[in-house]
Amino acid sequence: RILSPPLSVVAWLLLAFVAVPVVGSLLLGRVFCGLMCPVGTILDLLGRVRRVNYLGRLRLNNKYNKYAVAASFAAASAVSGFPVFCTVCPIRGVCTAYGSIKPVELTLAAVPVLFEFSDKRAWCRYFCPVGATIGLLGFKKALGFKIDTSKCIKCKACMRVCPTGAISESSLETGEISRTECIVCTRCYDVCMYDALKFGVLPFRAQGAAKAV
């Protein structure tokens, strides 16, 4: 016997703590971002704010930025032996500020909010390394939304409500929604009047032009 009963219980709990989000991401992709992230919830409350596209003017509105951010923090953590991003994570800022408002936590939580005044879910789309990592895990996710092209009339209502730009013009043609960008928020499903959005098992290989993430 390697571990005593109390330690074995702790080990199984730690394994479950790691396995559940990983398996969830493999199955559903960025479902954490759309339904569980406290930062995302705050940003959704700011859905009607007046926006000025300053990130676009600075050419920072690129969905691939978040992968560079994730790689940078991963490299810094590997070198330092410490999870560097945890010290500046906005999720930490929101969670640790509960019951009190401290300058550090308030600043961390304010960063995504400031980005929200440029574009909806700008933090999630362009900078969040957590979303980038989950998106990569869900690159071939098994479950998600797809468009029934036989019912879609290309009104683009789903494109307009999608907070992360996961639905593109090519999505309307092929039925494929970006698996790395979709946060499973269900807004496309809710807004479609033609029953063209379906949730179910996704094909392993993406179709046509929409296979690009």
PDB file of all heavy atoms in Angstrom, residues 15-42:
ATOM      1  N   LEU A  15      -7.003  14.374  -7.810  1.00  0.00           N
ATOM      2  CA  LEU A  15      -7.125  13.844  -9.166  1.00  0.00           C
ATOM      3  C   LEU A  15      -8.453  14.258  -9.793  1.00  0.00           C
ATOM      4  O   LEU A  15      -8.511  14.675 -10.958  1.00  0.00           O
ATOM      5  CB  LEU A  15      -7.014  12.315  -9.136  1.00  0.00           C
ATOM      6  CG  LEU A  15      -7.116  11.610 -10.501  1.00  0.00           C
ATOM      7  CD1 LEU A  15      -5.992  12.064 -11.421  1.00  0.00           C
ATOM      8  CD2 LEU A  15      -7.070  10.094 -10.309  1.00  0.00           C
ATOM      9  N   ALA A  16      -9.519  14.181  -9.014  1.00  0.00           N
ATOM     10  CA  ALA A  16     -10.832  14.586  -9.518  1.00  0.00           C
ATOM     11  C   ALA A  16     -10.866  16.081  -9.811  1.00  0.00           C
ATOM     12  O   ALA A  16     -11.448  16.525 -10.804  1.00  0.00           O
ATOM     13  CB  ALA A  16     -11.912  14.218  -8.499  1.00  0.00           C
ATOM     14  N   PHE A  17     -10.197  16.869  -8.935  1.00  0.00           N
ATOM     15  CA  PHE A  17     -10.153  18.324  -9.109  1.00  0.00           C
ATOM     16  C   PHE A  17      -9.496  18.693 -10.434  1.00  0.00           C
ATOM     17  O   PHE A  17      -9.904  19.657 -11.099  1.00  0.00           O
ATOM     18  CB  PHE A  17      -9.385  18.948  -7.941  1.00  0.00           C
ATOM     19  CG  PHE A  17      -9.336  20.452  -7.981  1.00  0.00           C
ATOM     20  CD1 PHE A  17     -10.429  21.205  -7.586  1.00  0.00           C
ATOM     21  CD2 PHE A  17      -8.191  21.115  -8.407  1.00  0.00           C
ATOM     22  CE1 PHE A  17     -10.383  22.588  -7.622  1.00  0.00           C
ATOM     23  CE2 PHE A  17      -8.138  22.494  -8.458  1.00  0.00           C
ATOM     24  CZ  PHE A  17      -9.245  23.231  -8.052  1.00  0.00           C
ATOM     25  N   VAL A  18      -8.489  17.919 -10.832  1.00  0.00           N
ATOM     26  CA  VAL A  18      -7.805  18.170 -12.106  1.00  0.00           C
ATOM     27  C   VAL A  18      -8.565  17.543 -13.270  1.00  0.00           C
ATOM     28  O   VAL A  18      -8.703  18.151 -14.342  1.00  0.00           O
ATOM     29  CB  VAL A  18      -6.362  17.615 -12.044  1.00  0.00           C
ATOM     30  CG1 VAL A  18      -5.693  17.733 -13.411  1.00  0.00           C
ATOM     31  CG2 VAL A  18      -5.554  18.355 -10.995  1.00  0.00           C
ATOM     32  N   ALA A  19      -9.080  16.339 -13.060  1.00  0.00           N
ATOM     33  CA  ALA A  19      -9.690  15.588 -14.161  1.00  0.00           C
ATOM     34  C   ALA A  19     -11.012  16.171 -14.629  1.00  0.00           C
ATOM     35  O   ALA A  19     -11.284  16.209 -15.838  1.00  0.00           O
ATOM     36  CB  ALA A  19      -9.890  14.132 -13.746  1.00  0.00           C
ATOM     37  N   VAL A  20     -11.835  16.647 -13.701  1.00  0.00           N
ATOM     38  CA  VAL A  20     -13.171  17.139 -14.080  1.00  0.00           C
ATOM     39  C   VAL A  20     -13.095  18.302 -15.076  1.00  0.00           C
ATOM     40  O   VAL A  20     -13.745  18.255 -16.132  1.00  0.00           O
ATOM     41  CB  VAL A  20     -13.985  17.520 -12.821  1.00  0.00           C
ATOM     42  CG1 VAL A  20     -15.242  18.286 -13.209  1.00  0.00           C
ATOM     43  CG2 VAL A  20     -14.358  16.266 -12.045  1.00  0.00           C
ATOM     44  N   PRO A  21     -12.313  19.369 -14.797  1.00  0.00           N
ATOM     45  CA  PRO A  21     -12.242  20.440 -15.801  1.00  0.00           C
ATOM     46  C   PRO A  21     -11.585  20.017 -17.110  1.00  0.00           C
ATOM     47  O   PRO A  21     -11.960  20.500 -18.178  1.00  0.00           O
ATOM     48  CB  PRO A  21     -11.426  21.541 -15.099  1.00  0.00           C
ATOM     49  CG  PRO A  21     -10.722  20.867 -13.982  1.00  0.00           C
ATOM     50  CD  PRO A  21     -11.583  19.730 -13.570  1.00  0.00           C
ATOM     51  N   VAL A  22     -10.601  19.103 -17.036  1.00  0.00           N
ATOM     52  CA  VAL A  22      -9.940  18.648 -18.261  1.00  0.00           C
ATOM     53  C   VAL A  22     -10.914  17.856 -19.126  1.00  0.00           C
ATOM     54  O   VAL A  22     -11.054  18.106 -20.335  1.00  0.00           O
ATOM     55  CB  VAL A  22      -8.694  17.795 -17.930  1.00  0.00           C
ATOM     56  CG1 VAL A  22      -8.155  17.130 -19.188  1.00  0.00           C
ATOM     57  CG2 VAL A  22      -7.618  18.662 -17.304  1.00  0.00           C
ATOM     58  N   VAL A  23     -11.610  16.910 -18.509  1.00  0.00           N
ATOM     59  CA  VAL A  23     -12.586  16.111 -19.253  1.00  0.00           C
ATOM     60  C   VAL A  23     -13.720  17.001 -19.766  1.00  0.00           C
ATOM     61  O   VAL A  23     -14.175  16.854 -20.907  1.00  0.00           O
ATOM     62  CB  VAL A  23     -13.148  14.975 -18.364  1.00  0.00           C
ATOM     63  CG1 VAL A  23     -14.286  14.258 -19.080  1.00  0.00           C
ATOM     64  CG2 VAL A  23     -12.047  13.991 -18.012  1.00  0.00           C
ATOM     65  N   GLY A  24     -14.159  17.934 -18.932  1.00  0.00           N
ATOM     66  CA  GLY A  24     -15.205  18.864 -19.359  1.00  0.00           C
ATOM     67  C   GLY A  24     -14.786  19.679 -20.562  1.00  0.00           C
ATOM     68  O   GLY A  24     -15.581  19.909 -21.479  1.00  0.00           O
ATOM     69  N   SER A  25     -13.533  20.099 -20.585  1.00  0.00           N
ATOM     70  CA  SER A  25     -13.020  20.871 -21.713  1.00  0.00           C
ATOM     71  C   SER A  25     -12.898  20.019 -22.969  1.00  0.00           C
ATOM     72  O   SER A  25     -13.172  20.483 -24.075  1.00  0.00           O
ATOM     73  CB  SER A  25     -11.650  21.472 -21.360  1.00  0.00           C
ATOM     74  OG  SER A  25     -11.749  22.329 -20.239  1.00  0.00           O
ATOM     75  N   LEU A  26     -12.478  18.769 -22.800  1.00  0.00           N
ATOM     76  CA  LEU A  26     -12.382  17.868 -23.950  1.00  0.00           C
ATOM     77  C   LEU A  26     -13.752  17.592 -24.557  1.00  0.00           C
ATOM     78  O   LEU A  26     -13.889  17.442 -25.773  1.00  0.00           O
ATOM     79  CB  LEU A  26     -11.727  16.555 -23.530  1.00  0.00           C
ATOM     80  CG  LEU A  26     -10.241  16.629 -23.145  1.00  0.00           C
ATOM     81  CD1 LEU A  26      -9.776  15.305 -22.581  1.00  0.00           C
ATOM     82  CD2 LEU A  26      -9.388  17.019 -24.353  1.00  0.00           C
ATOM     83  N   LEU A  27     -14.771  17.542 -23.712  1.00  0.00           N
ATOM     84  CA  LEU A  27     -16.117  17.252 -24.197  1.00  0.00           C
ATOM     85  C   LEU A  27     -16.834  18.492 -24.719  1.00  0.00           C
ATOM     86  O   LEU A  27     -17.485  18.454 -25.762  1.00  0.00           O
ATOM     87  CB  LEU A  27     -16.949  16.622 -23.070  1.00  0.00           C
ATOM     88  CG  LEU A  27     -16.584  15.211 -22.644  1.00  0.00           C
ATOM     89  CD1 LEU A  27     -17.421  14.791 -21.455  1.00  0.00           C
ATOM     90  CD2 LEU A  27     -16.765  14.226 -23.804  1.00  0.00           C
ATOM     91  N   LEU A  28     -16.712  19.610 -23.983  1.00  0.00           N
ATOM     92  CA  LEU A  28     -17.530  20.790 -24.272  1.00  0.00           C
ATOM     93  C   LEU A  28     -16.735  22.042 -24.623  1.00  0.00           C
ATOM     94  O   LEU A  28     -17.332  23.090 -24.885  1.00  0.00           O
ATOM     95  CB  LEU A  28     -18.432  21.090 -23.069  1.00  0.00           C
ATOM     96  CG  LEU A  28     -19.522  20.055 -22.788  1.00  0.00           C
ATOM     97  CD1 LEU A  28     -20.079  20.239 -21.382  1.00  0.00           C
ATOM     98  CD2 LEU A  28     -20.640  20.175 -23.813  1.00  0.00           C
ATOM     99  N   GLY A  29     -15.417  21.958 -24.607  1.00  0.00           N
ATOM    100  CA  GLY A  29     -14.621  23.135 -24.937  1.00  0.00           C
ATOM    101  C   GLY A  29     -14.686  24.187 -23.837  1.00  0.00           C
ATOM    102  O   GLY A  29     -14.611  23.867 -22.650  1.00  0.00           O
ATOM    103  N   ARG A  30     -14.923  25.424 -24.217  1.00  0.00           N
ATOM    104  CA  ARG A  30     -14.827  26.547 -23.281  1.00  0.00           C
ATOM    105  C   ARG A  30     -16.133  26.782 -22.509  1.00  0.00           C
ATOM    106  O   ARG A  30     -16.563  27.927 -22.323  1.00  0.00           O
ATOM    107  CB  ARG A  30     -14.411  27.805 -24.039  1.00  0.00           C
ATOM    108  CG  ARG A  30     -13.021  27.734 -24.619  1.00  0.00           C
ATOM    109  CD  ARG A  30     -12.671  28.973 -25.424  1.00  0.00           C
ATOM    110  NE  ARG A  30     -12.662  30.166 -24.606  1.00  0.00           N
ATOM    111  CZ  ARG A  30     -12.402  31.398 -25.078  1.00  0.00           C
ATOM    112  NH1 ARG A  30     -12.157  31.557 -26.365  1.00  0.00           N
ATOM    113  NH2 ARG A  30     -12.415  32.444 -24.275  1.00  0.00           N
ATOM    114  N   VAL A  31     -16.724  25.723 -22.030  1.00  0.00           N
ATOM    115  CA  VAL A  31     -17.973  25.856 -21.280  1.00  0.00           C
ATOM    116  C   VAL A  31     -17.750  26.625 -19.976  1.00  0.00           C
ATOM    117  O   VAL A  31     -18.645  27.348 -19.512  1.00  0.00           O
ATOM    118  CB  VAL A  31     -18.583  24.463 -21.008  1.00  0.00           C
ATOM    119  CG1 VAL A  31     -17.698  23.642 -20.075  1.00  0.00           C
ATOM    120  CG2 VAL A  31     -19.982  24.595 -20.422  1.00  0.00           C
ATOM    121  N   PHE A  32     -16.568  26.505 -19.383  1.00  0.00           N
ATOM    122  CA  PHE A  32     -16.256  27.270 -18.169  1.00  0.00           C
ATOM    123  C   PHE A  32     -16.363  28.762 -18.442  1.00  0.00           C
ATOM    124  O   PHE A  32     -16.911  29.520 -17.628  1.00  0.00           O
ATOM    125  CB  PHE A  32     -14.843  26.921 -17.674  1.00  0.00           C
ATOM    126  CG  PHE A  32     -14.364  27.820 -16.563  1.00  0.00           C
ATOM    127  CD1 PHE A  32     -14.763  27.588 -15.251  1.00  0.00           C
ATOM    128  CD2 PHE A  32     -13.519  28.893 -16.829  1.00  0.00           C
ATOM    129  CE1 PHE A  32     -14.332  28.423 -14.218  1.00  0.00           C
ATOM    130  CE2 PHE A  32     -13.086  29.733 -15.806  1.00  0.00           C
ATOM    131  CZ  PHE A  32     -13.491  29.500 -14.493  1.00  0.00           C
ATOM    132  N   CYS A  33     -15.857  29.187 -19.595  1.00  0.00           N
ATOM    133  CA  CYS A  33     -15.855  30.608 -19.942  1.00  0.00           C
ATOM    134  C   CYS A  33     -17.271  31.161 -20.082  1.00  0.00           C
ATOM    135  O   CYS A  33     -17.546  32.306 -19.720  1.00  0.00           O
ATOM    136  CB  CYS A  33     -15.109  30.837 -21.258  1.00  0.00           C
ATOM    137  SG  CYS A  33     -13.440  30.148 -21.300  1.00  0.00           S
ATOM    138  N   GLY A  34     -18.159  30.338 -20.611  1.00  0.00           N
ATOM    139  CA  GLY A  34     -19.499  30.825 -20.889  1.00  0.00           C
ATOM    140  C   GLY A  34     -20.472  30.700 -19.739  1.00  0.00           C
ATOM    141  O   GLY A  34     -21.394  31.508 -19.614  1.00  0.00           O
ATOM    142  N   LEU A  35     -20.273  29.705 -18.870  1.00  0.00           N
ATOM    143  CA  LEU A  35     -21.290  29.422 -17.862  1.00  0.00           C
ATOM    144  C   LEU A  35     -20.796  29.494 -16.421  1.00  0.00           C
ATOM    145  O   LEU A  35     -21.615  29.539 -15.504  1.00  0.00           O
ATOM    146  CB  LEU A  35     -21.887  28.026 -18.104  1.00  0.00           C
ATOM    147  CG  LEU A  35     -22.522  27.794 -19.478  1.00  0.00           C
ATOM    148  CD1 LEU A  35     -23.064  26.380 -19.572  1.00  0.00           C
ATOM    149  CD2 LEU A  35     -23.623  28.807 -19.749  1.00  0.00           C
ATOM    150  N   MET A  36     -19.477  29.510 -16.193  1.00  0.00           N
ATOM    151  CA  MET A  36     -18.981  29.424 -14.823  1.00  0.00           C
ATOM    152  C   MET A  36     -17.991  30.510 -14.413  1.00  0.00           C
ATOM    153  O   MET A  36     -17.836  30.779 -13.218  1.00  0.00           O
ATOM    154  CB  MET A  36     -18.328  28.050 -14.608  1.00  0.00           C
ATOM    155  CG  MET A  36     -19.330  26.902 -14.604  1.00  0.00           C
ATOM    156  SD  MET A  36     -18.536  25.277 -14.547  1.00  0.00           S
ATOM    157  CE  MET A  36     -18.256  24.992 -16.291  1.00  0.00           C
ATOM    158  N   CYS A  37     -17.327  31.127 -15.352  1.00  0.00           N
ATOM    159  CA  CYS A  37     -16.278  32.097 -15.014  1.00  0.00           C
ATOM    160  C   CYS A  37     -16.872  33.348 -14.357  1.00  0.00           C
ATOM    161  O   CYS A  37     -17.750  33.996 -14.943  1.00  0.00           O
ATOM    162  CB  CYS A  37     -15.509  32.484 -16.269  1.00  0.00           C
ATOM    163  SG  CYS A  37     -14.211  33.722 -15.943  1.00  0.00           S
ATOM    164  N   PRO A  38     -16.413  33.725 -13.159  1.00  0.00           N
ATOM    165  CA  PRO A  38     -16.947  34.919 -12.500  1.00  0.00           C
ATOM    166  C   PRO A  38     -16.634  36.205 -13.252  1.00  0.00           C
ATOM    167  O   PRO A  38     -17.431  37.144 -13.240  1.00  0.00           O
ATOM    168  CB  PRO A  38     -16.274  34.903 -11.119  1.00  0.00           C
ATOM    169  CG  PRO A  38     -15.049  34.061 -11.301  1.00  0.00           C
ATOM    170  CD  PRO A  38     -15.407  33.040 -12.325  1.00  0.00           C
ATOM    171  N   VAL A  39     -15.488  36.244 -13.922  1.00  0.00           N
ATOM    172  CA  VAL A  39     -15.145  37.433 -14.717  1.00  0.00           C
ATOM    173  C   VAL A  39     -16.101  37.565 -15.894  1.00  0.00           C
ATOM    174  O   VAL A  39     -16.598  38.656 -16.194  1.00  0.00           O
ATOM    175  CB  VAL A  39     -13.685  37.357 -15.208  1.00  0.00           C
ATOM    176  CG1 VAL A  39     -13.376  38.511 -16.164  1.00  0.00           C
ATOM    177  CG2 VAL A  39     -12.721  37.381 -14.032  1.00  0.00           C
ATOM    178  N   GLY A  40     -16.377  36.442 -16.564  1.00  0.00           N
ATOM    179  CA  GLY A  40     -17.308  36.469 -17.678  1.00  0.00           C
ATOM    180  C   GLY A  40     -18.686  36.941 -17.259  1.00  0.00           C
ATOM    181  O   GLY A  40     -19.377  37.655 -17.999  1.00  0.00           O
ATOM    182  N   THR A  41     -19.111  36.552 -16.053  1.00  0.00           N
ATOM    183  CA  THR A  41     -20.414  36.985 -15.541  1.00  0.00           C
ATOM    184  C   THR A  41     -20.458  38.497 -15.378  1.00  0.00           C
ATOM    185  O   THR A  41     -21.442  39.148 -15.759  1.00  0.00           O
ATOM    186  CB  THR A  41     -20.693  36.311 -14.180  1.00  0.00           C
ATOM    187  OG1 THR A  41     -20.688  34.895 -14.349  1.00  0.00           O
ATOM    188  CG2 THR A  41     -22.044  36.760 -13.626  1.00  0.00           C
ATOM    189  N   ILE A  42     -19.393  39.070 -14.846  1.00  0.00           N
ATOM    190  CA  ILE A  42     -19.325  40.524 -14.686  1.00  0.00           C
ATOM    191  C   ILE A  42     -19.361  41.212 -16.043  1.00  0.00           C
ATOM    192  O   ILE A  42     -20.065  42.213 -16.241  1.00  0.00           O
ATOM    193  CB  ILE A  42     -18.056  40.920 -13.911  1.00  0.00           C
ATOM    194  CG1 ILE A  42     -18.150  40.426 -12.468  1.00  0.00           C
ATOM    195  CG2 ILE A  42     -17.837  42.427 -13.947  1.00  0.00           C
ATOM    196  CD1 ILE A  42     -16.884  40.626 -11.663  1.00  0.00           C
TER     197      ILE A  42
END
